[in-house]
Amino acid sequence: MEKIVDKLYKHQEAVPFRDPVNWRELGLTDYPLIIKRPMALSDVKTKIVQGQYRSTADVAEDMNLIWTNCMDYNMEGSDFFKLANKFKDRFEKELTKVKATTEGFDEANNDAELDRTPSLEEQTQFAHNIYMIKSEELGEVVTKLDQSCPHALDKKQDGKDEIEINIDAIDNRTFHIIDRLVKSYLPDVMKKAKKATKGDGPASKKQKS
């Protein structure tokens, strides 16, 4: 589901759906009267990373709320209405492709799974994976860690303006959430590769702040 949301978020036509509608700035004073539960793609992305969803169905509910809100507020036949309908169909097609494998996502959001202490192999693989993602994606990982587990970030005092991720200091729940985020950033060829052995890389990575 993370991959689907990210794909739609990055779509060139998704601009109206990426962030919450700023109805005050746009002068849409009737917006809060018509739309009782505002939702945007950025909201869904944040809730996924924070582990707020219990199932794929919960994610789908919020995603569909984005399209229905737009269609409820805008006149049928308008450009925004048509665009929302297009994204609704696009999302449904993507969702159909992953419904057969939703158990993996659902299990990852299970409380027992999130609270489980990660194994040394998982920590080692995580350390290996963060070397494989793009710098901007690593920046997002660091931002999420700073929000959820700031003590896991060590700023170097050597004048190089670097931040090191202390994997051992990441709490269990945050580790599994961030680990899933990092895996979603991996190139497809890396996702299919075998897991790294214990000798794969150090359990930290430096990031320019």
Side-chain angles (χ1 to χ4, degrees), residues 164-177:
E164 186 173 289
I165 299 174
N166 184 352
I167 296 177
D168 291 331
I170 305 175
D171 64 83
N172 296 345
R173 179 173 288 264
T174 300
F175 175 85
H176 290 296
I177 292 172

Side-chain angles (χ1 to χ4, degrees), residues 84-101:
N85 198 34
K86 183 191 296 185
F87 268 82
K88 180 177 181 293
D89 291 341
R90 192 171 282 148
F91 172 67
E92 287 300 328
K93 290 179 181 178
E94 293 290 343
L95 183 61
T96 300
K97 297 177 184 178
V98 300
K99 277 185 175 179
T101 59

Side-chain angles (χ1 to χ4, degrees), residues 10 130 132-139 185 205 207:
K10 293 178 179 178
I130 58 178
M132 301 296 108
I133 63 179
K134 299 176 181 177
S135 58
E136 58 267 27
E137 294 167 342
L138 176 60
Y185 289 146
K205 182 175 183 181
Q207 161 72 12

Side-chain angles (χ1 to χ4, degrees), residues 1-204:
M1 288 299 287
E2 292 167 289
K3 189 174 182 179
I4 293 176
V5 175
D6 192 53
K7 180 178 180 180
L8 293 178
Y9 183 91
K10 293 178 179 178
H11 196 284
Q12 60 181 6
E13 292 184 303
V15 176
F17 310 116
R18 286 177 184 162
D19 299 305
V21 175
N22 192 337
W23 57 270
R24 289 188 179 87
E25 184 178 293
L26 296 172
L28 307 176
T29 54
D30 60 342
Y31 189 83
L33 301 177
I34 299 173
I35 304 303
K36 302 303 181 183
R37 287 185 58 208
M39 187 60 60
L41 290 170
S42 59
D43 295 325
V44 177
K45 285 168 67 69
T46 297
K47 291 174 73 173
I48 288 177
V49 171
Q50 294 180 347
Q52 294 186 34
Y53 292 117
R54 298 292 182 182
S55 67
T56 301
D58 290 341
V59 183
E61 181 180 350
D62 274 357
M63 288 293 285
N64 283 319
L65 185 59
I66 298 172
W67 327 131
T68 56
N69 279 350
C70 183
M71 295 168 75
D72 286 344
Y73 185 76
N74 293 281
M75 185 180 299
E76 184 174 358
S78 67
D79 290 341
F80 281 120
F81 187 99
K82 292 178 181 178
L83 186 61
N85 198 34
K86 183 191 296 185
F87 268 82
K88 180 177 181 293
D89 291 341
R90 192 171 282 148
F91 172 67
E92 287 300 328
K93 290 179 181 178
E94 293 290 343
L95 183 61
T96 300
K97 297 177 184 178
V98 300
K99 277 185 175 179
T101 59
T102 54
E103 64 275 7
F105 178 88
D106 296 338
E107 287 173 7
N109 281 279
N110 181 275
D111 277 342
E113 173 65 17
L114 287 176
D115 292 331
R116 177 180 59 80
T117 300
S119 66
L120 177 60
E121 182 180 13
E122 287 177 309
Q123 290 180 315
T124 303
Q125 185 63 48
F126 175 83
H128 175 80
N129 288 344
I130 58 178
Y131 277 94
M132 301 296 108
I133 63 179
K134 299 176 181 177
S135 58
E136 58 267 27
E137 294 167 342
L138 176 60
E140 186 169 344
V141 169
V142 170
T143 297
K144 300 301 181 185
L145 276 173
D146 190 42
Q147 294 171 344
S148 304
C149 193
H151 59 273
L153 299 176
D154 297 330
K155 279 198 172 185
K156 292 299 181 181
Q157 303 298 323
D158 55 7
K160 294 183 179 180
D161 198 27
E162 294 181 338
I163 294 176
E164 186 173 289
I165 299 174
N166 184 352
I167 296 177
D168 291 331
I170 305 175
D171 64 83
N172 296 345
R173 179 173 288 264
T174 300
F175 175 85
H176 290 296
I177 292 172
I178 297 298
D179 182 47
R180 189 168 69 242
L181 176 64
V182 171
K183 287 177 179 176
S184 73
Y185 289 146
L186 291 175
D188 290 338
V189 64
M190 290 300 301
K191 292 177 183 178
K192 296 176 182 178
K194 293 181 179 180
K195 288 185 177 181
T197 62
K198 290 183 179 180
D200 284 333
S204 64

